[in-house]
Amino acid sequence: MTRVCVVGGGGYVGLGYAVALAELGHTVVGLDIDAARVDQLNQGDSPIFEAGLPEMLERNLASGRLRFTADYANAVPEAEIVFLCTGTPSLSDGEADLRQVRAAATSIGAHLASGRSTIIVNKSTMPVGAAELVAGIVAEHAPQGASYAVVSNPEFLREGRVLHDILHPDRVVLGGDDPRAVATVAALYEPLGAPILRTDHRSAELIKYAANAFLATKISFINDIARLCERLGADVTIVAGGIGADPRIGPRFLNAGIGFGGSCFPKDVGALTRMTEGAGLHPGLLRAVLEINRDAQRRFVTRADQLLGGLDGRIVALWGLAFKEGTDDLRESPSVAVAEMMQERGAQLRAHDPAALANAARRLPWVTLCDDLYETTRGADAVALCTPWPEYAAADLKRVAALMRGDLFLDGRNFLGPRPVEAAGLRYVGIGRGARPALDAGLASLVGG
Ligand code: UGA
């Protein structure tokens, strides 16, 4: 079993890896510079909303395989492998901000043990060339006699499914030029049974950005088709089902709606755009992906404005604030963008979210937040469903209709579909549903709703 240190061990990615590697039997120290967070974690209290995390955290703390510290001297010297999982937020021009990575690499270098060899695993999403950057910083600060190698190992975790995705990866990507270091890191992953792709640093780094950009492109593609569906009288859910049935296209990430958000897609597409420009190339496709995404939220608000005869003074029940279901994360949330645009146009917002209300109280103090979904609809002119939480599919829509003063139901995620909403006497407006065709039975069953 390996002695691992996870730097950035209090964040989404770092905490996930710290806990999961301990679960696999390794001895893990999670390092975070936030001492209060470290205390909280050592008491078994997870600062992050993730399925299965509290239980796995508690179990591995109790087993003695996992502990947290804010002190590099207490974590790095004895580690065989150091995972670098600090954040890489966006600068205002889209470029990745590497300050946390630089600071972490400096401290890792300074605390490497002399006479020992340590592997540093770059997990953070970093622009192409980051492995050389990290290696250079570590070299500058490492004591004499310490040897080290850097391995690039991008992560493909989805928020809300972090532990699942770590323990059941579809592939593991390892980039590096030191075959022994790559083999040591590969051995950590072998028990998970996923294919391991070994490559050079730069290809590994680009795989991460290209994967996120491709998924974001799928979403913007279908949102562009949704726009066309509205004009031409077609239904985008049927079109998505029809194209997704081709295995070369695949059905996933073709849900039209108010667009993508979160801490990854907007940031990574922005950073890839900057990288493309920096390489002297024109990032036409990537720019279009971001533009279509922003437009998806604007169009939703404009639609609400038109259908309500103006948003000024209207009461809108906002269902869902998190950037997607299964998380309390509001970062770059399309729902938040919609809330802000509606508020600017004078709407009064009453919002519900099963997990994100505490974060929303800080971020959106001007929105009335309701623990109870039905409370949002009392006297509302419209419901705007922005995050597809399963709870909303189970809502009693007759009760909703009775509580509202208007009858408009805007489904920003094509989540409920027209049938249950119209059966409750409400007016349904989805995304890209320009027609109500007589559904072909085969396709209808492919797409549901
Ligand atoms: C994404 C990737 O899916 C992960 O593989 C990657 O590791 C991660 O970013 C990262 O770079 O760390 P995540 O941000 O958790 O994961 O969220 P997704 O589940 O991919 O959803 C992103 C956004 O796209 C959400 O706002 C979601 O509502 C939206 N979306 C997704 C759509 O609008 N339509 C779809 O068909 C699918």
Side-chain angles (χ1 to χ4, degrees):
M1 290 296 131
T2 310
R3 290 189 306 281
V4 180
C5 166
V6 180
V7 175
Y12 268 102
V13 175
L15 182 54
Y17 273 96
V19 168
L21 288 167
E23 181 80 2
L24 291 170
H26 303 290
T27 306
V28 182
V29 184
L31 187 144
D32 201 288
I33 51 169
D34 181 341
R37 189 166 269 229
V38 164
D39 286 344
Q40 193 185 346
L41 285 162
N42 276 325
Q43 281 159 30
D45 181 6
S46 170
I48 280 166
F49 181 86
E50 268 299 326
L53 189 57
E55 301 78 7
M56 211 182 271
L57 173 65
E58 213 166 298
R59 187 159 66 237
N60 286 286
L61 286 169
S63 74
R65 284 193 300 271
L66 177 63
R67 67 184 171 84
F68 293 88
T69 182
D71 182 4
Y72 277 87
N74 192 7
V76 170
E78 77 247 33
E80 296 161 82
I81 301 183
V82 177
F83 276 76
L84 207 173
C85 302
T86 51
T88 52
S90 294
L91 294 168
S92 63
D93 64 355
E95 196 167 309
D97 178 354
L98 295 178
R99 274 176 294 181
Q100 293 178 45
V101 169
R102 285 202 181 89
T106 302
S107 299
I108 292 168
H111 290 90
L112 289 180
S114 277
R116 285 254 316 278
S117 177
T118 311
I119 298 170
I120 298 157
V121 177
N122 270 2
K123 263 278 160 221
S124 304
T125 301
M126 292 185 239
V128 174
E132 289 99 320
L133 174 83
V134 168
I137 295 172
V138 171
E140 223 177 285
H141 296 89
Q144 279 234 316
S147 72
Y148 62 87
V150 175
V151 173
S152 300
N153 173 214
E155 54 82 14
F156 304 102
L157 315 175
R158 292 163 295 177
E159 263 184 56
R161 311 212 49 186
V162 159
L163 291 175
H164 172 274
D165 288 355
I166 293 176
L167 294 170
H168 306 279
D170 346 277
R171 80 294 206 189
V172 172
V173 174
L174 298 178
D177 40 28
D178 179 331
R180 285 238 310 264
V182 171
T184 306
V185 180
L188 274 188
Y189 288 104
E190 263 147 26
L192 304 178
I196 297 179
L197 172 64
R198 289 161 220 246
T199 181
D200 59 283
H201 281 300
R202 288 179 170 242
S203 301
E205 289 162 344
L206 196 53
I207 285 170
K208 166 69 192 200
Y209 283 100
N212 274 0
F214 188 79
L215 292 170
T217 302
K218 267 188 114 172
I219 299 168
S220 279
F221 175 81
I222 204 65
N223 279 336
D224 209 29
I225 296 293
R227 226 159 42 158
L228 199 56
C229 284
E230 282 170 14
R231 282 290 168 88
L232 301 183
D235 184 322
V236 75
T237 64
I238 311 286
V239 175
I243 64 174
D246 181 334
R248 293 171 301 174
I249 296 173
R252 296 170 74 185
F253 277 70
L254 287 178
N255 297 323
I258 56 171
F260 58 77
S263 64
C264 303
F265 284 176
K267 160 176 93 69
D268 291 349
V269 179
L272 192 56
T273 305
R274 296 285 295 126
M275 264 183 266
T276 307
E277 284 167 346
L281 301 169
H282 176 62
L285 176 63
L286 298 171
R287 282 201 191 133
V289 167
L290 291 173
E291 178 53 32
I292 292 168
N293 198 52
R294 277 191 291 271
D295 202 40
Q297 291 135 40
R298 276 199 295 262
R299 283 168 36 76
F300 186 67
V301 174
T302 304
R303 194 94 190 262
D305 192 81
Q306 283 163 353
L307 291 166
L308 289 170
L311 276 162
D312 197 13
R314 301 293 183 187
I315 300 176
V316 179
L318 214 62
W319 287 10
L321 293 168
F323 83 92
K324 65 173 186 180
E325 70 282 16
T327 176
D328 65 352
D329 198 341
L330 297 180
R331 285 177 290 176
E332 300 286 325
S333 172
S335 320
V336 170
V338 163
E340 286 171 344
M341 283 186 255
M342 285 189 168
Q343 197 247 359
E344 278 166 14
R345 285 162 181 71
Q348 291 174 41
L349 300 174
R350 302 168 59 81
H352 173 270
D353 190 284
L357 289 186
N359 288 340
R362 287 186 290 274
R363 178 81 175 73
L364 303 165
W366 35 268
V367 173
T368 304
L369 301 173
C370 306
D371 287 323
D372 176 42
L373 179 63
Y374 300 98
E375 265 311 299
T376 60
T377 61
R378 197 177 289 281
D381 296 292
V383 171
L385 190 159
C386 291
T387 313
W389 283 97
E391 282 85 339
Y392 301 156
D396 177 350
L397 295 173
K398 289 226 163 72
R399 191 172 158 203
V400 168
L403 285 164
M404 288 173 69
R405 84 176 168 201
D407 67 353
L408 181 61
F409 193 103
L410 290 154
D411 188 351
R413 295 288 179 184
N414 285 340
F415 186 52
L416 298 192
R419 275 179 230 162
V421 175
E422 288 172 355
L426 294 167
R427 184 159 51 121
Y428 181 86
V429 175
I431 303 286
R433 306 183 90 145
R436 298 295 306 282
L439 292 185
D440 169 87
L443 279 183
S445 67
L446 265 177
V447 298

